[in-house]
Every structure is written in C-alpha cells, then in structure tokens.
Amino acid sequence: MYSITRLMLAPLAAAILLAAGCVNYAGIDHQGKLLAVGDAPSDSLKDKLPPAQWPRADWWTSLGDPRLGALIEEAYASNPDLQEVAARVAKANAFLDLRDAERYPEMDASAGVTRGRLSRFEDYSGEGEKYFTARNLAVNFSYTFDLWGGQRAAWESALNSARAAEVDLQSSRLILAVNVAKAYNQLAYAWQVSELNQRDLERLSKLVELTDSRYGSGLDNLSQLKQVQSLKARSESTLIGANEDIEIARLQLSALIGKGVDRAHTLERPSTLQASVVALPAQLPAQLLGRRPDIVAARWRVEAETKNVEAVKTTFYPNINLAAAAGSHALTGDAMFAGVSKFWNVAPTVSLPIFDAGRLRSDLKAGNAELDSSIAQYNRVLNSALHEVAISVTQLRSFEQQIVVQRDACSIAQSSYDLSQSRYKAGEDTFLDALNIEQQLIQDEMRLAFLNSKHIDSSVSLMAALGGGFQAPALETAQSSAL
C-alpha cells in the first residue's frame, strides 16, 4: 500500500520540481493604494457645528410628521428598485453557496439498462443477429485537492461580494428613504406655494375691484385698470401652475413608494415639517467608515477582489484531481451483483501549466486591474462622503442664517401690513396702499417658505451623508478601522 501511494504521488513531486521553469506570475501586481482617513482630513468641519450623536435608524421622525415614516415603510415594501437590489443580494448569496459547494467532493450515482442488436461486425463470434441486454450500476466520485487554498480564496471572494451586496441593499434603503423624505418635503412646499399664490390672487382680485371703481369715478385711467387686470390674470396662471406642482409632487411620491397613479390622489397635505437638529458626531470622520453603507460595501469589494487575485494565483501551481468509480456491469440480470460483474477504478491526476501563450498571466493582470478599480472606487466613495458632509454642513449653515434674516424681513413686512390696515381703518391711508404692502408680505413669506424647504432638504442630505443610522457589524468595523 505504501509503495502504491508513493507511486501515485511521484508525479506531484516531479511537477513541483518543474514549476520553477513553467508559467509563473512574476512581475504582476496591483498598483492601487487604499486611502486612509488621515489622507482625507476634515478637522475644519468640527468648528462649524456642535457635537451630537450619530443619526438614528428612524432619523426621519425628527422632521415632525409621523405620516412620513409610514410612507417610507410603504416604499420599503413596494419600491421596484429596492426589490431589484434585493434580488441581486439573493443572487450573490446563491453564488456564494456555489463557491462553497465547489470546495467539497462530488458524488453521483447512475443506473441504466441497454437493449440492442449486434451486427456481424460487432459480434465477436462473427455471426451477428444477436440481441443483448446490458445492465449497469455505478457510483462516481471526484475531488479536487485545494493544495494552495485557491478554492477557499474563491469562496472568500464570493463571501465578501455577498456582504457587499447586502450592504448595497442597506445603502439603497437609505437612498430611498432620503428620496421619499425630500419628495414629501417638496409636496409640503408645493402646498405652501399654492396657498400663498391663492392669497396673492385674492389680493389682486380686490385690487381689480378697487381700480375698476376708481376708473368709474374718474380717479384712474383705463391703462391702470388694464394693468391690474393683467396682474390678476398672471396670478391666476401662476396659481394653476402651483396646483400642477402639487399633483406632480404627489405623482413623484407615489412612484417612489412603488404604487400606481391612483395612490397619488390619496396623499394628503403634509404637516409643517421642521429641519433636523444641525449637529455633527464628535468622532468624524473615523467612525464614518462604519456608518456609511456605501463605504462599507466598497471596502468589502476591495476584499473580494483581493481574494479573487489570490485564487487566480493558485492556478499557476500544480494541482491534483482524484476521480473514482465503482459499480457493476452485467449482461444477465442474475449476474448483476455477482463478483465477476463488479468493477472499481481510482484515477488521481496531476496537472501543471507549462505553456499557455500567456492566458494565466492575462487572467491575473485582469484580476489585478479589477482590484485597482475597486480600490479607486473605495477611495472615491470615502473622499466623496467627506465632501458630502462638508457640503451639507455649509448649506445648513447658510440656510440657517438666511432664514434668520428672512424671518426678520417677514416680521417687518407683517408689522407694515398691520400698520397699513390700522391706518386704512382710521382713514389715514387708502385701501390701495394696504394691498400694495400685502404684496411685499406675500413675497417675503414665499421666500421664507423656499428657504425652509431647502433647509429641510439639506438636513436630510446630512443624515444621508452621515449614514442615516446604519452601523456596520463588529467584523466590518474592525476591518474598516484597520485601513
């Protein structure tokens, strides 16, 4: 038995000795370098906002309308884009199962009956015109020895890809929640604009009545009357457009939640939304690596391509495949399990690439190129994440300051309008003066509504830039922090 084993392994030893002079991967390596946190400093952000906790998973509750949360949950259940990402996760996990199965032996059984007629040429006796029935029963076994860890590396590559796909699903959920929140905010803003345009139309209708009366009394000319009538017509057109914006915002929101057109008509006017608390976590950007799902997914893809390169390298080494079969072949039914009908064979095979015109080296170059690409994508995502935080913070600060100033402007305009009403009632000003002052008040309130809407959008963008409540499991965090 020992001599047989030594005889079977002898080709392997010879193959290893020949490996140095055969196909090799010398001089092939990747060039990319992972960007570390220290290479993308963001200390300037700490001076702009006070420290705070990381966003919660239900960060949208801070916007102040519980119906928004219900719409986001509805979108999670019905959005087709999210369902497509979930299908990719299932596919990645299925591929992972396949790679795992390839690491184990394969065994199958076969059985069959063959009925045939022999010609003279096929009959050993030279007579022909004979019939036969052949019965066979066999068990086949095959196994590839993972001498260099290539199969395990391929499995680990698939595992990392599956993890990246699962994190992609979390990233898609975050993007969907952000888009729903912004669409809901746009719907609220559209309602405000429509309401203010309705007020402006009412103001101009009164102005037309007043000017028409003054024209009849000879106090105004026809040109002045036509001018205010034109302003009223323009306001009516603007109001129609504002109401159209409401319907479009409803349709966009219903599309995001994955429902049909009829769902848009059931969407009610949102409550008054408020921007999230403007603050930043104290440990930024170090913990951002485990809080941004797109960064975590990009890191897993780097790991996947690294393992894939390791798997490709093992194809340059000698390999051993073992195949075996056992069973029974018989021409008569009573001899099916007789000793003379039984057979077995064992076939170990050693393979070593000697000359392939550069195929294996090309595969390895392609693998390293994919690794460099995944590293570049990770660096881009990390750098973009820090810039997204910085942009959101800058916008929030700017809108916050503009809102303070615009509120003062609205307060002044409201005081001026109230004063004009008092002076009109006292007979000190005309009604026309009051209507003109009201126009400035409506314009200031329109501007304030716009700034509030943009402020809310920016706060939502900041929640997304900070990961939206996502937190990678401990293993992922440990790998990311090791960069």
Side-chain angles (χ1 to χ4, degrees):
M1 182 65 182
Y2 174 74
S3 60
I4 294 177
T5 303
R6 183 174 59 181
L7 183 62
M8 293 172 62
L9 293 179
L12 173 61
I16 295 175
L17 292 175
L18 290 173
C22 299
V23 180
N24 63 80
Y25 54 80
I28 303 177
D29 201 358
H30 70 92
Q31 304 298 321
K33 179 182 178 183
L34 286 173
L35 182 66
V37 175
D39 298 329
S42 61
D43 293 336
S44 59
L45 293 175
K46 298 179 181 179
D47 300 330
K48 293 188 177 182
L49 292 176
Q53 297 298 319
W54 286 90
R56 299 186 309 174
D58 57 347
W59 51 267
W60 52 81
T61 58
S62 62
L63 299 178
D65 190 341
R67 288 177 295 180
L68 174 58
L71 289 174
I72 290 176
E73 292 299 331
E74 187 177 356
Y76 283 166
S78 305
N79 183 269
D81 292 334
L82 198 62
Q83 293 171 351
E84 181 183 357
V85 178
R88 289 201 295 267
V89 173
K91 181 179 179 179
N93 285 322
F95 185 72
L96 172 62
D97 292 339
L98 173 63
R99 286 301 192 198
D100 189 34
E102 291 174 347
R103 302 166 58 201
Y104 297 94
E106 183 177 353
M107 180 179 295
D108 63 77
S110 62
V113 178
T114 302
R115 177 67 175 170
R117 182 180 185 274
L118 299 178
S119 67
R120 173 185 292 183
F121 177 78
E122 296 167 328
D123 186 3
Y124 290 115
S125 64
E127 297 178 0
E129 297 186 1
K130 290 184 178 181
Y131 295 87
F132 75 95
T133 301
R135 301 166 178 82
N136 67 83
L137 177 65
V139 176
N140 302 297
F141 172 88
S142 63
Y143 179 63
T144 299
F145 292 90
D146 192 17
L147 297 178
W148 317 106
Q151 290 180 335
R152 178 173 180 82
W155 170 76
E156 290 177 344
S157 176
L159 175 61
N160 292 328
S161 295
R163 287 172 173 170
E166 290 171 356
V167 178
D168 279 339
L169 179 59
Q170 299 302 319
S171 181
S172 297
R173 286 169 63 90
L174 173 59
I175 293 173
L176 178 59
V178 167
N179 289 336
V180 170
K182 289 187 175 182
Y184 195 69
N185 180 46
Q186 182 62 33
L187 179 59
Y189 173 64
W191 272 106
Q192 288 180 298
V193 171
S194 176
E195 186 179 68
L196 290 170
N197 278 304
Q198 181 64 44
R199 280 178 52 189
D200 191 52
L201 178 59
E202 293 172 358
R203 178 189 67 84
L204 289 170
S205 297
K206 295 176 183 178
L207 184 59
V208 168
E209 293 177 4
L210 178 60
T211 306
D212 185 60
S213 176
R214 289 171 60 87
Y215 172 71
S217 302
L219 298 176
D220 286 336
N221 56 40
L222 182 60
S223 176
Q224 290 172 318
L225 177 60
K226 292 299 183 181
Q227 182 179 5
V228 295
Q229 288 176 340
S230 174
L231 291 174
K232 179 186 175 184
R234 185 187 303 172
S235 179
E236 290 174 346
S237 175
T238 303
L239 180 60
I240 292 173
N243 291 332
E244 178 188 359
D245 290 341
I246 293 176
E247 296 306 315
I248 291 176
R250 281 174 164 172
L251 289 169
Q252 290 174 338
L253 187 53
S254 66
L256 281 172
I257 61 179
K259 295 299 178 65
V261 175
D262 292 341
R263 180 68 176 91
H265 303 312
T266 64
L267 295 172
E268 301 177 355
R269 178 177 181 174
S271 302
T272 301
L273 300 178
Q274 59 187 13
S276 301
V277 177
V278 183
L280 280 179
Q283 297 180 341
L284 184 77
Q287 289 191 355
L288 194 65
L289 299 179
R291 298 281 185 165
R292 285 268 304 216
D294 53 347
I295 295 179
V296 175
R299 187 67 179 90
W300 278 124
R301 287 191 169 87
V302 172
E303 293 295 328
E305 294 301 333
T306 300
K307 292 299 181 180
N308 181 60
V309 168
E310 292 180 9
V312 174
K313 285 182 177 180
T314 63
T315 60
F316 288 80
Y317 303 142
N319 197 15
I320 297 179
N321 299 321
L322 176 63
S328 175
H329 289 164
L331 292 177
T332 60
D334 56 353
M336 187 66 183
F337 299 102
V340 294
S341 299
K342 295 178 181 179
F343 76 93
W344 63 267
N345 59 69
V346 178
T349 304
V350 178
S351 60
L352 172 68
I354 297 177
F355 176 76
D356 65 353
R359 293 179 179 84
L360 290 179
R361 290 179 63 85
S362 296
D363 287 342
L364 183 57
K365 289 177 182 178
N368 278 294
E370 289 293 336
L371 176 56
D372 285 334
S373 176
S374 64
I375 291 174
Q377 291 175 8
Y378 172 84
N379 293 340
R380 174 182 56 80
V381 171
L382 175 58
N383 192 48
S384 296
L386 295 174
H387 281 84
E388 286 174 13
V389 173
I391 291 172
S392 296
V393 169
T394 302
Q395 290 177 336
L396 279 167
R397 274 302 191 200
S398 176
F399 286 129
E400 186 180 72
Q401 294 169 1
Q402 292 181 66
I403 287 172
V404 171
V405 176
Q406 189 60 36
R407 281 175 179 169
D408 290 340
C410 287
S411 178
I412 294 171
Q414 183 67 53
S415 298
S416 178
Y417 176 71
D418 293 340
L419 181 59
S420 69
Q421 290 290 316
S422 299
R423 291 178 61 84
Y424 167 70
K425 293 177 182 179
E428 298 176 1
D429 280 342
T430 64
F431 187 53
L432 180 60
D433 294 330
L435 291 176
N436 289 332
I437 293 175
E438 185 182 13
Q439 179 187 17
Q440 183 61 46
L441 175 61
I442 292 174
Q443 290 177 350
D444 285 334
E445 290 180 350
M446 191 82 73
R447 174 65 178 171
L448 181 61
F450 170 77
L451 291 174
N452 282 328
S453 175
K454 300 300 289 184
H455 189 211
I456 291 170
D457 273 355
S458 296
S459 70
V460 170
S461 296
L462 179 58
M463 294 300 103
L466 294 175
F470 174 81
Q471 185 173 5
L475 177 60
E476 295 174 327
T477 305
Q479 286 196 1
S480 297
S481 61
L483 295 179

